[in-house]
Amino acid sequence: KTAIQNGDDLYVEKSEVVTLSGNIAILSRAMVSKLVLLSVTTLTLDSVVVDTVDALDSPSTPSRLLAESDNPWFTTLVANAQDQGDSLSFTTLFEQDDPMVNTLKETWQFAKYDTVSITDCVTVNISQVMIRDQHLSDGSALSLTWNVSMPSEDRQASSSTISGVYLFDNYSLSKSGGLNFVNPPNVAVLTGVFNRNYSLEYKGGALASSCSSLLDDCKLKIAQGESSTSPKVSFANNIAKIAGGAIY
């Protein structure tokens, strides 16, 4: 349990090998990022949970209460959703005067940046990581970025896997509420569950990926299950204002 509000809980830069494993729980009030990892050659996150400090005191934080299926606002969102392939889009919701969105902005404290920020790491292995109940103004629950300036030999050597990632009840004003990729060189999402992640003013409620026009080697794979009833990566009740309720 931490009491840091104006600084990152863990910051690591320019290391060969970083491993965080063994049932690590980060319960934080940090108003910036909880974990920041920059320029690590081999990064492993295994059995890590990131939650709010409120989780110590109550089983139902504001996010979870809001996302209950019998909540009128949430029910209205789902009822008005139009299924368009992999995404849910909304045509008449999230107006500028939407009372619920305005209430969230006025009553919640939004942390400024990504909850877990991973940048320019050559090889990333993430397994059994849960992040939930994050309220973010300019970030995602989990963000992986490979900058254009990263050496080409590092991009060619890069190979990253994400398995057993659980993202629940995360809210962002300007990015994907869940998982965000920028310029992924070679990434595979093998297994995961994305439930009730929100991009309140942008795209990709659960997952978003983008690639610079300066690069031609971006690669992101999301594993498919044997059938629609047994997916390896599942998305449910994720919402975005502009496009890609599940994936953008």
Side-chain angles (χ1 to χ4, degrees):
K1 179 180 178 181
T2 66
I4 298 175
Q5 293 195 43
N6 297 313
D8 308 311
D9 290 329
L10 176 64
Y11 184 101
V12 179
E13 184 175 5
K14 295 182 179 178
S15 294
E16 286 296 318
V17 178
V18 174
T19 301
L20 295 176
S21 65
N23 297 318
I24 297 172
I26 300 170
L27 306 176
S28 176
R29 289 191 178 94
M31 296 309 292
V32 285
S33 295
K34 277 68 170 175
L35 301 180
V36 176
L37 301 130
L38 303 175
S39 301
V40 175
T41 303
T42 302
L43 169 65
T44 300
L45 301 182
D46 185 11
S47 301
V48 176
V49 173
V50 182
D51 208 332
T52 61
V53 173
D54 298 336
L56 291 175
D57 308 315
S58 170
S60 295
T61 60
S63 302
R64 293 176 202 164
L65 288 174
L66 173 64
E68 290 294 331
S69 59
D70 58 353
N71 181 285
W73 183 72
F74 184 80
T75 302
T76 300
L77 288 180
V78 175
N80 284 275
Q82 295 180 345
D83 195 354
Q84 296 182 356
D86 289 333
S87 66
L88 295 174
S89 65
F90 301 87
T91 55
T92 60
L93 304 172
F94 289 121
E95 299 295 337
Q96 291 185 354
D97 59 350
D98 187 315
M100 179 56 74
V101 174
N102 290 336
T103 297
L104 298 186
K105 292 179 181 178
E106 293 170 0
T107 59
W108 282 0
Q109 280 192 313
F110 284 86
K112 191 170 183 181
Y113 301 123
D114 303 308
T115 299
V116 178
S117 177
I118 299 170
T119 303
D120 286 348
C121 295
V122 179
T123 299
V124 180
N125 299 302
I126 296 176
S127 61
Q128 302 306 313
V129 171
M130 175 185 287
I131 306 174
R132 60 187 180 186
D133 284 312
Q134 302 301 305
H135 309 152
L136 309 162
S137 63
D138 187 23
S140 301
L142 176 58
S143 180
L144 290 87
T145 299
W146 292 264
N147 286 310
V148 173
S149 58
M150 186 177 186
S152 59
E153 57 269 25
D154 286 345
R155 286 189 64 85
Q156 292 173 4
S158 179
S159 178
S160 300
T161 59
I162 298 175
S163 61
V165 61
Y166 303 92
L167 302 183
F168 301 137
D169 303 310
N170 299 298
Y171 295 74
S172 177
L173 294 178
S174 61
K175 292 184 178 179
S176 169
L179 177 56
N180 188 62
F181 295 105
V182 179
N183 304 324
N186 185 15
V187 179
V189 181
L190 302 179
T191 58
V193 179
F194 297 78
N195 284 354
R196 300 182 304 271
N197 298 285
Y198 299 82
S199 180
L200 296 176
E201 295 183 336
Y202 199 59
K203 307 169 184 177
L207 186 154
S209 181
S210 60
C211 184
S212 169
S213 60
L214 299 176
L215 298 170
D216 59 5
D217 61 348
C218 291
K219 182 179 180 182
L220 172 63
K221 177 182 178 180
I222 301 175
Q224 293 182 327
E226 295 181 358
S227 69
S228 60
T229 58
S230 59
K232 292 183 177 180
V233 183
S234 68
F235 299 86
N237 299 326
N238 301 286
I239 294 171
K241 176 181 179 179
I242 298 176
I247 300 172
Y248 177 80

